[in-house]
Amino acid sequence: MNEHSNGPAPSIAAVLSASDWAEKLSTETVTIGGLPIVRLTRDEMRGLMLSDVVEARSGAMMRPRVITSANGSIVATYHSDPAVRSSIDRMDMIDADGMPLVLASRMFCKRPLPERIATTDFLLDAAAEATRSGIRFYLLGARPGVAARAAEHLRYRFPGLQIVGTRHGFFERSDLPKICAKVIESGADVLWLGLGAGLQETIALECRDRLPGVAWVRTCGGLFDHYGGGVSRAPGWMQRSGMEWAYRAAREPLRLGWRYLITNPQAAWHLLTKTHD
Ligand code: UDP
């Protein structure tokens, strides 16, 4: 083990499966609304996590892969807020959390996105893989107590899942070195970072060089609120038709209603005019 390796090696089965995945995976992107979105399925994303964890634990990966997701609101903000754009441009990978991005790719691309990777669903795929392969999660973000409750919920659903630490997401920037040291000390392979769009990308970039041995920093917005804060999710038909935003807006009209009222027309414009292979 070299100085960056992160605890015991995963099982032989996990290593073999990871090398299978590493051969199969291509992280090519397609331009959706002006953003480079990775063309992976949810299952391939799970395989990428496994293969990155094996690589990070072997010491071959010097810093984590930083992954975020885009929806219509992010597409709009990307074009209107230079600070957000600059952070998003420095991400290693962006996936399509929003169905409107998938629909736009179907309209304008010869090789559209295979599917939506809703982070709320992907967390469950990732947790199943983590339970099988001994991958360790750390949950950072949301109001005090919420990430810890989300961890309890996930441990209940996936007996044996190792969530090696949780922390709320309200802190001073000066606390960041200490927080990163705790994450390293915990032996986490994947840091789920749920601080909300914009802030979480900035913090992910600030952290990445302080997290050797960690395979992924995966932003996840308000995800912990779904699993630990009693925030419900839109019905399936709304998720599939690209209308999840309407459910969220109706639930929190003051905060999110305004957000979507402003960003939806902008997002539609960018999706219609800046989507291509
Ligand atoms: N949050 C946080 N620290 C902050 C600001 C926000 O941990 O300094 C959390 C907040 O409690 C919520 C999440 O970030 O859990 C933001 O949720 P939202 O639904 O706004 O994020 P989105 O999914 O739209 O990016």
Side-chain angles (χ1 to χ4, degrees), residues 69-149:
S69 342
N71 56 17
S73 160
I74 305 289
V75 168
T77 316
Y78 177 83
H79 292 286
S80 64
D81 184 333
V84 168
R85 183 180 188 131
S86 147
S87 304
I88 290 193
D89 282 343
R90 284 184 289 148
M91 294 285 117
D92 294 319
M93 191 178 276
I94 310 168
D95 65 17
D97 183 48
M99 197 60 196
L101 278 73
V102 179
L103 299 175
S105 81
R106 286 185 192 153
M107 281 166 78
F108 298 111
C109 300
K110 282 190 213 81
R111 297 186 59 216
L113 294 176
E115 62 180 338
R116 173 186 185 201
I117 304 188
T119 313
T120 321
D121 298 322
F122 178 67
L123 172 67
L124 303 181
D125 302 348
E129 181 61 61
T131 308
R132 255 193 312 274
S133 305
I135 293 171
R136 296 179 288 258
F137 287 175
Y138 197 107
L139 314 188
L140 172 55
R143 286 166 285 114
V146 174
R149 280 200 297 281

Side-chain angles (χ1 to χ4, degrees), residues 71 74 141-143 168-171 194-197 199-200 220-225 248 252 255-256 259-260:
N71 56 17
I74 305 289
R143 286 166 285 114
H168 68 78
F170 292 83
F171 50 81
L195 307 175
L199 178 62
Q200 60 195 8
C220 58
L223 180 68
F224 305 140
D225 296 322
R248 295 186 73 195
E252 281 187 77
R255 188 174 74 96
L256 296 178
R259 187 201 280 183
Y260 291 124

